Amino acid sequence: MSKEIYENPDLKKERQNCPFNKEEITHLLDGGKEKTIERKQLENYILSDEQLKDAVPMEYLSHADKYAEELRKACLLMHKLADSPAGQVPTLRALMGAGLGSAVLKEGNPLALHYVMFIPALMGQGTIDQQAKWLEKAYNLNMIGTYAQTELGHGTFLRGLETRATYDPKTQEFILESPSLTAYKWWPGSLGKTANYAVVMAQLYTKGKCEGTHPFMVQLRDEETHEPLPGIVNMWLNPVCISSYIHYGTYVKPTNSKLSYATMVFVRVVVCQDVTTNLRKAVTIATRYSCVRRQSELKPGDREPQVMDYQAQQNKLLPPLAATFAFQLAADHLWNLYHTANNNIEQGDLELLPDLHGLSCALKALCSSEAANFVEVCRQSCGGHGYMSCSNFPRIYGQVTAAETYEGENTVLWLQVARYLVKTRKEQSGGLSVKYLIGEEKGPKTVDTTLEGIVKLYRRAAVGLVDVAIAELDKSGRKGEAPHDAWNHAAVYLIKAAQAHARLFVVESFVDSLKEGKLSAPVRTVLSQLCELFIIYWLLERSGDFFLCSNLTKQDLLLLNSKYVELLAAIRPQAVNLVDSFDLRDEVLNSPLGCWDGNVYQRLFDEAAKSPLNQSNVHESFHKYLKPLLKSNL
Ligand SMILES: CCCCCCC/C=C/C(=O)SCCNC(=O)CCNC(=O)[C@H](O)C(C)(C)COP(=O)(O)OP(=O)(O)OC[C@H]1O[C@@H](n2cnc3c(N)ncnc32)[C@H](O)[C@@H]1OP(=O)(O)O
Ligand SMILES: Cc1cc2nc3c(=O)[nH]c(=O)nc-3n(C[C@H](O)[C@H](O)[C@H](O)COP(=O)(O)OP(=O)(O)OC[C@H]3O[C@@H](n4cnc5c(N)ncnc54)[C@H](O)[C@@H]3O)c2cc1C
């Protein structure tokens, strides 16, 4: 007789009478029905492999054992690539992300940088000959690379990197050296024990002149013994400049010095998707748990309610739920811009480069910071159980909050965005994402609280905050401050303007995607509710910006607050159905709180039992330390 599949009765009730087709949303998020089929096939192929399962929870292993276990699985995954039903590239893409990849490699993938940065650097910046020499070797895993840019003393300020590559015209070689302790390459993933090659970013010196940071291919370790090559500590090696600009001993400037930053732009684009996937996991865990967890008393004398029935809990979880759709659609738009810009750059057309740089900085900073805040809210919404390691919130939070720092610390990226906005507003010329800054702000200042009216408010705030920042810069200039001082003294306004620009892009992406999308009426209804909830939520959170730049009144805010709480109540019944639409398997969620069947308490108990400390009633340390203390009559 088939074993009855347990389903928590509350979750079962939540799933009854779903008014929309969950699969339609799954296909929307996957990029179509075929992509969903491919993803599910791949998940079955990977997650059914017993060798990829952890014998013991990773948190109970030593640092070295964790590394060895993750490397074992990462290498096994590479062997499985060849037979993957989804093909190598889609499989690699899935394995490098926060979804399937982190379901297997919970502590991180020792080979990630090889695929996420090393190969993209070769593809984006290598000459044809260099690609012919190295790409096949890299794809065949006959070399493992990383991207070594950050140093002990510099991560943000690339023009301040100390590693030097001096060209010797006599030997036609580059001599790489780390002239100081602070020049040591620090942070690059896989650099410590895994990679035997690296793309090293160094200041190129030729004929006594510094030509700025350039990428160099450097062999780090012997390919047979894996021993560090002689002098690797001071990097006196025989590197090769990638995308060599040294022609017959003469330096030839690239068409744009920032093309050497292209790999970072690529990863910033990828990060937007990655943090969205992590946020989707956190929202799913917290939403399902909040419909299983019953606590306290809503109506005196009644049964303890599901905590999701508290408006306070809806206020915690429904904005992040809406954000997962907003960020996904914005990341899709950014990805399309990246592809178009990259294809153009390959043809020598750099026109879209500034817009791509501006938008990738804006969205990477916005999505990572918002996702980190939302993941923490999701964790807190699960009370004590959300704090447990096995909840997976600590790991998800660690992954998302790291994205606020790597690939460009967010503050620094906000200031890059502001530089682009100020330049566009002043010169009245700029790329697609900043067209709203060209010309006077159109439309009335009076507030119209329809969806279209709220989007106009976002646009007015975005223009207005750039103008406020420019006014600050001009004021400092009139006081005789040098431009760099004026810039520094306007940083608070500049960052606000950059953030408003990023929010406008996300809001317009969400609204436009719903307008253009071929959606069934029920799906359009629920996604429109999420869209309206999210853009009102952000407006209420940042109402100061809107007061500063429009005629928003107290009455308008009260009206928007009422709309907001009405939308919380309207979306609440579909919360579980919406997270079910993400189609995240239990192995990907990796959390007893978020499992599909809602059997939370038994799974929590089973997880606790796995602890080494729970393998005996009395731990040996009692006899060594506690018993003597108890007897010592202090
Ligand atoms: C998701 C899956 C896993 C991911 C794993 C990731 C692991 C992590 C890896 C890393 O962290 S790798 C290291 C990342 N490090 C950084 O991102 C460093 C951040 N710093 C910078 O990018 C630069 O220092 C800077 C902040 C952009 C400043 O550069 P610079 O001082 O050279 O330029 P500016 O003087 O500020 O601007 C001059 C000019 O250049 C334009 N520009 C700057 N960067 C770019 C770019 N990338 N692309 C195009 N254009 C760029 C800038 O807009 C200015 O233009 P104008 O205003 O003069 O027109
Ligand atoms: C998990 C992780 C993985 C990483 N992987 C890699 C890797 O594989 N390869 C690699 O090369 N690097 C890697 N890094 C390094 C990462 O790229 C840097 O840490 C990051 O670029 C930030 O630079 P920083 O550490 O110098 O921070 P800093 O810039 O020193 O930041 C310190 C403070 O200074 C502020 N600040 C700096 N400049 C300005 C400014 N102009 N205006 C205002 N405020 C400013 C910052 O906002 C921040 O508050 C990784 C980092 C992490 C956390």
Side-chain angles (χ1 to χ4, degrees):
M1 190 167 82
S2 68
K3 186 164 165 272
E4 177 71 15
I5 294 177
Y6 171 83
E7 185 179 2
N8 171 275
D10 286 324
L11 280 191
K12 189 169 188 174
K13 187 160 167 281
E14 295 281 339
R15 290 168 172 147
Q16 281 166 356
N17 310 317
C18 177
F20 58 84
N21 178 349
K22 294 181 194 177
E23 275 197 335
E24 183 182 342
I25 294 180
T26 307
H27 297 161
L28 173 75
L29 295 174
D30 280 328
K33 185 177 180 182
E34 290 314 307
K35 292 287 185 192
T36 298
I37 293 168
E38 178 187 275
R39 171 178 58 78
K40 292 167 93 79
Q41 255 184 348
L42 183 55
E43 286 172 349
N44 289 332
Y45 173 63
I46 297 292
L47 297 175
S48 59
D49 188 328
E50 288 303 318
Q51 296 181 83
L52 290 171
K53 296 188 190 322
D54 296 326
V56 291
M58 293 299 279
E59 47 264 48
Y60 301 127
L61 295 181
S62 70
H63 186 201
D65 289 345
K66 276 180 190 171
Y67 170 72
E69 179 58 6
E70 296 299 64
L71 188 63
R72 177 189 72 80
K73 290 181 286 180
C75 293
L76 179 56
L77 283 170
M78 294 304 107
H79 287 296
K80 289 178 74 73
L81 266 185
D83 305 328
S84 170
Q88 295 213 21
V89 174
T91 304
L92 266 176
R93 192 176 295 135
L95 291 176
M96 291 303 134
L100 183 57
S102 63
V104 177
L105 300 167
K106 299 179 183 67
E107 296 297 317
N109 182 344
L111 305 179
L113 267 290
H114 179 75
Y115 288 104
V116 176
M117 296 198 80
F118 180 73
I119 289 178
L122 291 180
M123 290 173 68
Q125 304 183 54
T127 61
I128 299 295
D129 294 345
Q130 290 166 343
Q131 290 177 357
K133 177 179 179 186
W134 282 316
L135 272 183
E136 189 178 356
K137 193 170 176 176
Y139 272 124
N140 294 341
L141 290 170
N142 298 136
M143 68 193 305
I144 303 292
T146 183
Y147 182 85
Q149 173 174 291
T150 300
E151 298 167 353
L152 202 52
H154 286 92
T156 287
F157 188 51
L158 296 188
R159 286 185 283 136
L161 289 178
E162 296 177 69
T163 301
R164 297 170 68 120
T166 307
Y167 181 68
D168 180 345
K170 286 196 290 301
T171 61
Q172 292 192 340
E173 285 180 336
F174 294 94
I175 296 134
L176 239 70
E177 56 177 329
S178 309
S180 63
L181 174 67
T182 49
Y184 269 60
K185 291 302 179 184
W186 196 271
W187 269 115
S190 316
L191 184 62
K193 288 291 175 200
T194 313
N196 54 9
Y197 283 82
V199 168
V200 175
M201 293 295 274
Q203 304 285 5
L204 169 59
Y205 282 81
T206 173
K207 296 179 181 172
K209 183 170 179 259
C210 177
E211 297 292 358
T213 48
H214 287 69
F216 292 83
M217 171 66 82
V218 179
Q219 185 175 351
L220 306 170
R221 294 172 175 270
D222 181 287
E223 290 190 13
E224 293 306 317
T225 66
H226 208 53
E227 285 293 331
L229 292 182
I232 188 66
V233 176
N234 299 313
M235 276 219 204
W236 187 285
L237 293 162
N238 178 18
V240 178
C241 179
I242 298 178
S243 51
S244 167
Y245 294 107
I246 300 282
H247 294 285
Y248 309 106
T250 304
Y251 177 71
V252 177
K253 265 196 182 307
T255 46
N256 183 310
S257 65
K258 302 310 171 194
L259 287 174
S260 66
Y261 293 179
T263 308
M264 292 179 280
V265 176
F266 165 71
V267 179
R268 287 168 191 157
V269 172
V270 170
V271 164
C272 297
Q273 175 62 62
D274 210 60
V275 295
T276 302
T277 302
N278 265 320
L279 179 57
R280 225 178 263 148
K281 287 159 63 173
V283 167
T284 302
I285 294 166
T287 298
R288 286 181 179 161
Y289 178 72
S290 298
C291 292
V292 169
R293 183 72 167 180
R294 287 181 171 272
Q295 197 70 203
S296 306
E297 198 175 51
L298 221 171
K299 185 180 173 194
D302 262 13
R303 183 188 177 194
E304 290 185 272
Q306 294 164 285
V307 294
M308 188 57 116
D309 287 338
Y310 292 113
Q311 188 187 78
Q313 192 82 353
Q314 295 158 24
N315 182 44
K316 290 174 191 170
L317 296 181
L318 298 185
L321 171 57
T324 64
F325 290 93
F327 296 166
Q328 177 68 55
L329 295 166
D332 291 346
H333 279 87
L334 176 62
W335 190 247
N336 295 337
L337 172 63
Y338 175 79
H339 272 299
T340 307
N342 233 32
N343 292 337
N344 294 357
I345 290 165
E346 281 169 9
Q347 313 303 321
D349 173 2
L350 303 183
E351 189 186 2
L352 287 178
L353 186 60
D355 208 38
L356 176 62
H357 172 52
L359 202 53
S360 57
C361 288
L363 283 187
K364 181 270 186 187
L366 181 74
C367 293
S368 60
S369 55
E370 291 284 312
N373 294 338
F374 281 139
V375 168
E376 175 56 4
V377 168
C378 286
R379 177 193 72 78
Q380 290 181 23
S381 74
C382 295
H385 298 328
Y387 184 75
M388 290 177 72
S389 171
C390 70
S391 73
N392 208 21
F393 282 119
R395 192 173 281 125
I396 293 171
Y397 184 73
Q399 287 169 356
V400 179
T401 193
E404 295 184 274
T405 300
Y406 66 52
E407 225 50 70
E409 197 280 330
N410 280 357
T411 302
V412 171
L413 298 187
W414 284 129
L415 290 166
Q416 282 292 306
V417 177
R419 177 174 175 146
Y420 180 46
L421 299 178
V422 168
K423 182 175 182 178
T424 299
R425 188 68 173 156
K426 282 189 166 181
E427 295 177 0
Q428 285 294 293
S429 70
L432 283 174
S433 73
V434 290
K435 284 290 177 231
Y436 66 94
L437 286 173
I438 296 163
E440 280 313 304
E441 174 48 30
K442 299 159 187 72
K445 276 202 162 192
T446 49
V447 175
D448 153 9
T449 53
T450 62
L451 199 65
E452 286 67 32
I454 294 170
V455 174
K456 282 186 189 140
L457 270 179
Y458 272 82
R459 202 168 298 129
R460 176 167 290 287
V463 176
L465 287 170
V466 172
D467 290 344
V468 166
I470 289 173
E472 277 303 304
L473 292 167
D474 294 347
K475 189 170 76 178
S476 297
R478 287 193 296 275
K479 285 192 300 190
E481 284 191 24
H484 58 269
D485 284 331
W487 183 263
N488 187 36
H489 295 151
V492 170
Y493 293 98
L494 292 164
I495 291 168
K496 275 179 180 286
Q499 291 173 341
H501 167 72
R503 284 192 167 83
L504 174 62
F505 183 86
V506 170
V507 161
E508 287 186 329
S509 285
F510 204 165
V511 172
D512 295 348
S513 300
L514 294 184
K515 274 186 202 153
E516 294 149 15
K518 294 185 181 60
L519 304 170
S520 65
V523 165
R524 183 179 300 282
T525 300
V526 73
L527 293 187
S528 300
Q529 288 172 328
L530 286 167
C531 177
E532 191 170 10
L533 175 87
F534 191 59
I535 69 175
I536 294 175
Y537 164 80
W538 254 357
L539 191 158
L540 296 175
E541 288 288 299
R542 315 285 303 186
S543 52
D545 295 350
F546 294 88
F547 270 125
L548 194 60
C549 305
S550 75
N551 293 344
L552 192 72
T553 66
K554 179 182 164 190
Q555 284 313 312
D556 296 322
L557 273 191
L558 290 171
L559 175 65
L560 288 168
N561 250 313
S562 305
K563 267 198 170 186
Y564 174 75
V565 295
E566 283 166 19
L567 285 162
L568 288 178
I571 297 167
R572 156 68 188 93
Q574 305 317 329
V576 169
N577 293 320
L578 284 163
V579 298
D580 283 354
S581 307
F582 296 160
D583 194 25
L584 294 169
R585 288 177 52 149
D586 284 354
E587 300 95 322
V588 174
L589 294 173
N590 188 28
S591 170
L593 306 186
C595 42
W596 184 89
D597 64 12
N599 195 8
V600 169
Y601 297 116
Q602 184 59 53
R603 290 172 189 270
L604 276 173
F605 199 84
D606 295 346
E607 278 303 314
K610 293 176 186 172
S611 166
L613 281 177
N614 289 330
Q615 304 317 310
S616 63
N617 289 331
V618 178
H619 190 260
E620 61 183 27
S621 54
F622 167 77
H623 303 287
K624 282 184 191 171
Y625 310 114
L626 199 54
K627 187 171 181 179
L629 178 69
L630 292 170
K631 299 295 181 198
S632 62
N633 298 324
L634 283 180

